[in-house]
Amino acid sequence: MAQVVLDVQATHLGQTFDYYVEEKYSEVARPGVMVRVRFGGQRVNGIIWNRTDVSDTPASALRFIDRVVTDGVLVPKAMREDITLIADAFGGTRANILRLAVPPRVARVEQEQRRSGSTAREGRARAERLLAVEQEHFDQLKARYGGVNLLREALEGSRFQSFVFDTLPGFDHWRRCAAWMVAAALSHNRPAVIVLPTMREINDMIETLQSIGLRVFAQTNASSGGYDGDMAVLNAQMPPAERYRAYLAASSGRVSCIIGTRAAMYAPVEGRALFLIVDDVCYQDADGMMPYANARGVLRLRAKAHGGVFVAMANARSVQSQWETDATHVGETPVSGFSTPIHALPAVTKEASPWIRWLNRDELARVADPTIGARVPHTAVRVLSKGLESGPVLLSIPQDGITEALSCSQCHRQARCAQCTGPLERLQDGSIRCRWCGAATVQWSCPACHNERMRVVRVGAAGTAQELGKLFRGVPIVISTPSQPRGIVPDIAFAPQLVIATPGAEPRVRGTSPYECEYRAVAILDAWISLYAFGIDAGVDTLTAWMRAVSLCAPRVRDGQALLLGETDPVLAQSLMLWNSPRLAQTELEERAQTALPPVFAAACVWGRRSAVKTALERIGALSGGDWATIETVEGVMPSVLGPVPIPQPRTIDTRELEVTADRVKAIVRVPQGKRAELALRLRNASARHVAAREAGELRFQLDPKERI
């Protein structure tokens, strides 16, 4: 008897289904292989989860499996256990995770893998080489970071540990830190999984790992079709054959290091592995399909299940990471818990970072700059012109496009809701409401200056290159943004030129020495836009973008200067100038404790048709009369639900759905962190009941939302 998880995504069909196994398939129908079965009048694929001798299903309803599709184990035991844990943690089913974790099968790739030979001798030589590399890198890092020896001991130990690693600036410093961790893990026969935001960072990381002797998994013999290597890339955008080849190489243990975007969080590794995520606050880490799992939570969950090591590494520490570093209040949940912080020594931070100046109105008045109020004041032009004498200069501008925000007409602070502190928006009829809780706003007054008038702030970056070109005449200008015809420029030569780029599109400087791989100066324009950014992580997202740009600048020992131009939150500016991201993260954490937002409280976003959302909230006990109707906060008792708030129809709306019935809303449900696992279970049960009963309307949910708050 085989218990099979079918490739059926309906929530109410998330359990295993029993099938008879014919005698001819008895040996090959092992747990973890893919099979073809009949279900509901059609043939579907499935993964054998277990083999058993008995079944609770009536014998008259049992069928035989049609055939065994793969001749080897496609989903190893450890991966099957991880998939179950991930599905439970995020309120999904094992089938939801399988369609994301296991790429579509390509038969010819399986034949290639069987023809590949062993490389045991090369493996021993590689281990010796990695030990030498690890020792060399560790000697450099221990003089810069406090507590880095604890991470090294964890990579050599046999129990689960979690770390938050705040990296120093430098164009390749984060890569060298990650390479040291990989070398330490591989030298002790531990696999390593690295999740990065985009393919740009993946290519940079591959370049660094190759410098320490690791080889990319690639074809070694064209005639036999054999593949070999030490590290493989897993990315959902890869061609099917390449992705399936990398997946099989990881599941069979042929490669010990897996790099990729969020798809790599499902890499089929076994044993006490290293699970490393870089820039854990970036929006790319949230999966776009049910159950919308977050890469940070998945990696930490898997590291704990494997008894391995989890590391969240970034220039700007996320609020989640800051919350985990305080042992006085952190409780264990499936995806979070205490993490040991690793931070650079103050003297080293000052030496490694450029001289960062905040040129706001007060500072420009102090230096008697006559161009106060200009987008690029004279003081900044002088600094940038000096940098252009010896090399390239980077100007970081906000993302292209235009959005609208509301602010106080007198002190220019962003207008926020008096109930939940969410940003306010203006509707087409002129009324004002909160983007988070949907509360209408009347008789608004600014809490800072008590002004009662608002103004509309339109934010945009189009035409910046033309405007700045007038200030630096005769200087070559390179524009690197996704919206420009040339797109993102990957790299530039070390020569005097002005580079204008949006966050994440900064070109790398390619030179023959470390001195020639840095910008001579970096300027961050339009800092005031950060005052009107939306989203729960708007502040940390802004600091992440700023730190990413500044990290490409030469340090102050090589006359590097970075400028922050415009008004912004003083805490945000000071965090950048002192290169101390925990300062901002702690401030954000204190504010979220007052407003009962993640990570202090666990939260889920429920959206869909109004009637379906309301019914789901009732079923999980979040509305009046339910056991989760209220929550205890530092500010007193609050309702557990924010909203519901109307949201636009999806672009894929069914044309048969009448406009009058397409009333879409979203609501945020908050519970204490200790009840997060139960929240996931209740939401999954409510969704399953909605689907099984064929109730009208869309209903979806996501735990740990980022973009939806």
Side-chain angles (χ1 to χ4, degrees):
M1 194 75 63
Q3 296 178 331
V4 182
V5 173
L6 303 178
D7 185 13
V8 178
Q9 302 304 317
T11 308
H12 67 297
L13 299 176
Q15 76 274 17
T16 58
F17 292 86
D18 295 342
Y19 286 87
Y20 286 127
V21 179
E22 295 183 54
E23 185 64 29
K24 63 178 180 179
Y25 293 135
S26 181
E27 294 295 328
V28 295
R30 295 171 291 166
V33 305
M34 179 183 291
V35 294
R36 190 81 166 167
V37 299
R38 286 183 175 272
F39 181 79
Q42 59 183 349
R43 289 184 174 88
V44 298
N45 290 334
I47 301 294
I48 296 181
W49 220 250
N50 292 302
R51 290 290 300 270
T52 182
D53 296 330
V54 296
S55 173
D56 295 332
T57 304
S60 59
L62 291 174
R63 296 181 177 181
F64 284 91
I65 60 173
D66 282 0
R67 63 187 181 92
V68 176
V69 177
T70 58
D71 56 358
V73 174
L74 190 61
V75 186
K77 180 180 179 181
M79 190 63 195
R80 297 198 301 275
E81 294 173 352
D82 288 352
I83 286 173
T84 302
L85 292 174
I86 296 168
D88 292 341
F90 290 93
T93 66
R94 286 170 289 192
N96 295 154
I97 307 300
L98 277 172
R99 69 169 170 175
L100 301 171
V102 181
R105 176 176 177 262
V106 181
R108 64 179 176 85
V109 173
E110 297 176 355
Q111 300 175 0
E112 294 174 357
Q113 296 284 39
R114 287 195 297 268
R115 290 196 296 266
S116 298
S118 175
T119 57
R121 182 176 299 178
E122 292 184 9
R124 289 193 296 270
R126 185 199 65 175
E128 296 176 358
R129 183 174 63 252
L130 289 176
L131 280 172
V133 170
E134 188 275 335
Q135 184 63 50
E136 178 185 354
H137 281 63
F138 177 74
D139 292 340
Q140 298 173 0
L141 293 177
K142 71 179 181 181
R144 297 187 171 194
Y145 292 92
V148 71
N149 59 306
L150 299 177
L151 177 54
R152 189 191 198 192
E153 293 172 2
L155 291 169
E156 297 173 353
S158 58
R159 65 185 180 91
F160 164 70
Q161 292 190 62
S162 177
F163 295 87
V164 171
F165 197 114
D166 303 319
T167 57
L168 289 167
F171 73 95
D172 66 344
H173 181 73
W174 70 268
R175 289 185 271 159
R176 288 187 280 114
C177 292
W180 165 70
M181 297 180 209
V182 171
L186 268 56
S187 62
H188 292 86
N189 296 319
R190 293 170 174 258
V193 178
I194 308 176
V195 173
L196 301 165
T198 67
M199 284 302 299
R200 296 190 75 205
E201 288 80 13
I202 291 174
N203 293 331
D204 291 341
M205 192 70 242
I206 289 176
E207 178 182 327
T208 303
L209 291 177
Q210 286 177 325
S211 69
I212 67 172
L214 298 187
R215 297 169 298 131
V216 178
F217 186 73
Q219 192 171 21
T220 57
N221 191 329
S223 60
S224 63
Y227 283 76
D228 193 20
D230 304 307
M231 55 180 170
V233 176
L234 268 180
N235 180 16
Q237 303 301 319
M238 296 170 62
E242 292 185 15
R243 185 183 177 191
Y244 191 61
R245 184 180 295 114
Y247 176 87
L248 291 182
S251 65
S252 62
R254 293 190 57 80
V255 297
S256 49
C257 179
I258 298 90
I259 312 170
T261 51
R262 64 171 179 259
M265 65 183 173
Y266 300 121
V269 297
E270 298 189 14
R272 298 184 174 93
L274 164 67
F275 294 89
L276 169 65
I277 183 169
V278 178
D279 282 347
D280 59 303
V281 77
C282 69
Y283 72 92
Q284 292 98 332
D285 289 336
D287 212 322
M289 301 180 70
M290 184 67 189
Y292 308 101
N294 182 278
R296 190 191 195 282
V298 169
L299 291 180
R300 196 185 192 282
L301 180 151
R302 296 190 66 193
K304 185 176 181 180
H306 287 242
V309 177
F310 169 76
V311 182
M313 185 173 70
N315 289 136
R317 183 183 294 186
S318 66
V319 182
Q320 176 72 35
S321 293
Q322 180 66 23
W323 182 74
E324 291 184 357
T325 58
D326 190 347
T328 59
H329 63 252
V330 173
E332 288 290 331
T333 74
V335 297
S336 64
F338 175 72
S339 297
T340 303
I342 298 177
H343 199 71
L345 302 175
V348 176
T349 302
K350 183 177 180 180
E351 179 182 347
S353 60
W355 181 24
I356 307 174
R357 301 170 62 188
W358 180 23
L359 299 183
N360 60 351
R361 286 182 173 271
D362 293 341
E363 177 64 14
L364 292 174
R366 188 187 69 81
V367 299
D369 191 314
T371 58
I372 296 178
R375 192 180 186 195
V376 184
H378 178 70
T379 302
V381 173
R382 186 171 61 250
V383 172
L384 299 178
S385 298
K386 183 179 179 180
L388 286 169
E389 294 176 359
S390 56
V393 166
L394 173 65
L395 291 174
S396 178
I397 61 175
Q399 290 286 358
D400 289 336
I402 296 178
T403 57
E404 186 176 281
L406 297 176
S407 70
C408 173
S409 62
Q410 181 169 309
C411 69
H412 308 303
R413 291 177 179 268
Q414 185 179 23
R416 289 190 169 271
C417 176
Q419 297 185 21
C420 71
T421 72
L424 300 180
E425 66 176 346
R426 184 182 62 172
L427 304 181
Q428 293 182 352
D429 60 3
S431 60
I432 308 297
R433 75 171 186 193
C434 176
R435 288 178 179 266
W436 289 0
C437 69
T441 300
V442 294
Q443 297 182 342
W444 177 88
S445 65
C446 177
C449 67
H450 306 291
N451 176 48
E452 297 181 351
R453 297 184 62 185
M454 297 186 217
R455 71 167 185 166
V456 177
V457 179
R458 291 182 175 84
V459 180
T464 302
Q466 182 178 2
E467 176 185 348
L468 297 179
K470 300 176 182 178
L471 297 175
F472 303 93
R473 297 186 181 276
V475 178
I477 296 179
V478 176
I479 303 175
S480 178
T481 70
S483 60
Q484 295 297 320
R486 188 178 175 184
I488 297 177
V489 178
D491 49 55
I492 61 170
F494 182 78
Q497 54 187 314
L498 193 66
V499 179
I500 301 174
T502 51
E506 301 88 353
R508 311 293 191 262
V509 182
R510 303 296 183 183
T512 57
S513 65
Y515 173 84
E516 295 182 351
C517 293
E518 304 164 333
Y519 287 97
R520 308 316 303 159
V522 172
I524 298 171
L525 273 62
D526 304 329
W528 59 271
I529 289 180
S530 63
L531 296 171
Y532 310 109
F534 301 124
I536 188 172
D537 285 325
V540 180
D541 288 339
T542 300
L543 183 60
T544 298
W546 290 356
M547 282 185 157
R548 183 189 295 116
V550 173
S551 66
L552 300 175
C553 185
R556 67 180 64 199
V557 295
R558 292 197 284 272
D559 299 325
Q561 288 198 52
L563 305 175
L564 180 61
L565 307 180
E567 303 298 324
T568 188
D569 185 347
V571 176
L572 187 58
Q574 292 164 9
S575 298
L576 176 66
M577 290 189 293
L578 301 176
W579 206 262
N580 184 13
S581 63
R583 180 187 182 95
L584 174 66
Q586 183 60 37
T587 302
E588 291 270 351
L589 192 60
E590 294 169 357
E591 294 178 354
R592 296 188 191 184
Q594 298 173 359
T595 55
L597 291 173
V600 182
F601 282 76
C605 180
V606 185
W607 73 95
R609 183 177 292 183
R610 184 181 297 271
S611 58
V613 170
K614 181 181 178 181
T615 301
L617 295 177
E618 290 176 348
R619 287 171 177 168
I620 67 173
L623 295 185
S624 179
D627 57 337
W628 283 356
T630 59
I631 52 176
E632 294 280 349
T633 72
V634 294
E635 299 294 323
V637 179
M638 292 184 178
S640 64
V641 177
L642 293 176
V645 181
I647 58 176
Q649 296 182 4
R651 288 175 295 180
T652 57
I653 188 72
D654 192 334
T655 56
R656 295 172 297 177
E657 186 167 2
L658 298 177
E659 184 176 353
V660 294
T661 62
D663 186 9
R664 280 181 104 227
V665 297
K666 73 171 182 179
I668 306 297
V669 185
R670 302 167 295 175
V671 298
Q673 280 287 355
K675 297 182 179 179
R676 184 193 182 282
E678 186 178 354
L679 174 62
L681 179 62
R682 290 192 186 188
L683 284 172
R684 181 168 66 183
N685 291 340
S687 177
R689 184 173 174 181
H690 173 82
V691 176
R694 297 186 178 182
E695 296 175 354
E698 171 195 16
L699 178 63
R700 297 182 182 275
F701 66 89
Q702 177 183 4
L703 274 83
D704 306 326
K706 172 180 170 64
E707 294 301 307
R708 300 185 185 277
I709 296 185

